[in-house]
Amino acid sequence: MRPSILAATLASSMLVAASAGAQEPAPPAPPAPAEAPVPPMRLDRSKEEVSLGFDLRRFQDDFGLGGTLSSPIVARWLRFTLGGGVAWYPHALDSSGNQTWDTFGHGRLVVEVGPTFQEGVPVRPYGFGGVAGLYLPGSMSSQQFAIGGVGGFGMELAFMHGPLSGPVTYYMEIGGCGYNATANKIPSSPDVASGLLIGAGLRVYL
């Protein structure tokens, strides 16, 4: 009987040990690594100061380029922009009667109406309108100066560097322009620079 008692005792000890091991809680899982916070996008410059710019423009069929000087924003809604440059009329005629490009000057003074840039929003919509003028060469027209108007809508985009916005912005404009100017030294006296206006450029805030 003693071997049986000894075997039973060993079996009971092994069951108790197994039960104790099964009841031990599993070690806790290691904590997940914390994610680095994403810094919020912000404007580190107010973009309400004086700015200089460069733009490309299309006056109906005519291509132009030029520069701009914009005033500080007034009352957070208004800004005055003076712009001008040179453009090319693609349907002029040379002395042999062949089609060529003729150069003319353009200028404008417009009022831009729209909110300033808001923190975290790198887009600024605005409308614009004002007076515009042309300086036409004698080879194109007997009318040296022409005064008209220009107007439309634009969208200015802040140039982002990571979460920050620097002093450079890009803008796009679409609208219309009219000058009552004709190339009356060319057969059929076509209009000059009147019709659809498309522009794109950049600004640097000082």
Side-chain angles (χ1 to χ4, degrees):
M1 295 296 293
R2 288 181 181 177
S4 301
I5 294 172
L6 180 60
T9 302
L10 289 176
S12 300
S13 300
M14 292 175 65
L15 288 174
V16 170
S19 300
Q23 294 175 359
E24 288 184 5
E35 295 184 0
V38 178
M41 183 174 61
R42 65 184 181 87
L43 297 172
D44 57 334
R45 299 193 59 153
S46 65
K47 295 181 177 57
E48 298 181 2
E49 307 90 352
V50 173
S51 64
L52 297 176
F54 170 80
D55 59 10
L56 304 175
R57 308 187 78 78
R58 182 179 177 91
F59 309 93
Q60 190 62 20
D61 293 332
D62 310 335
F63 170 77
L65 54 84
T68 61
L69 172 63
S70 297
S71 73
I73 288 186
V74 180
R76 300 184 64 84
W77 272 87
L78 299 177
R79 176 165 62 190
F80 300 90
T81 295
L82 178 67
V86 297
W88 290 268
Y89 180 72
H91 307 299
L93 301 177
D94 60 17
S95 58
S96 302
N98 298 318
Q99 184 170 316
T100 185
W101 287 38
D102 213 345
T103 305
F104 62 93
H106 65 89
R108 68 189 184 279
L109 176 61
V110 300
V111 179
E112 295 180 10
V113 181
T116 61
F117 279 102
Q118 305 299 313
E119 185 170 348
V121 183
V123 180
R124 184 184 79 87
Y126 61 92
F128 65 92
V131 296
L134 301 178
Y135 175 76
L136 303 176
S139 59
M140 180 191 301
S141 176
S142 59
Q143 180 184 7
Q144 190 172 17
F145 294 98
I147 303 297
V150 61
F153 299 95
M155 192 79 70
E156 188 174 4
L157 309 174
F159 182 77
M160 304 304 298
H161 180 70
L164 303 181
S165 168
V168 179
T169 63
Y170 294 94
Y171 64 92
M172 297 169 287
E173 295 177 345
I174 186 168
C177 53
Y179 298 94
N180 193 29
T182 59
N184 56 20
K185 292 190 177 180
I186 298 175
S188 75
S189 298
D191 291 337
V192 179
S194 293
L196 178 67
L197 171 69
I198 300 175
L202 61 85
R203 286 191 176 109
V204 180
Y205 287 86
L206 305 180

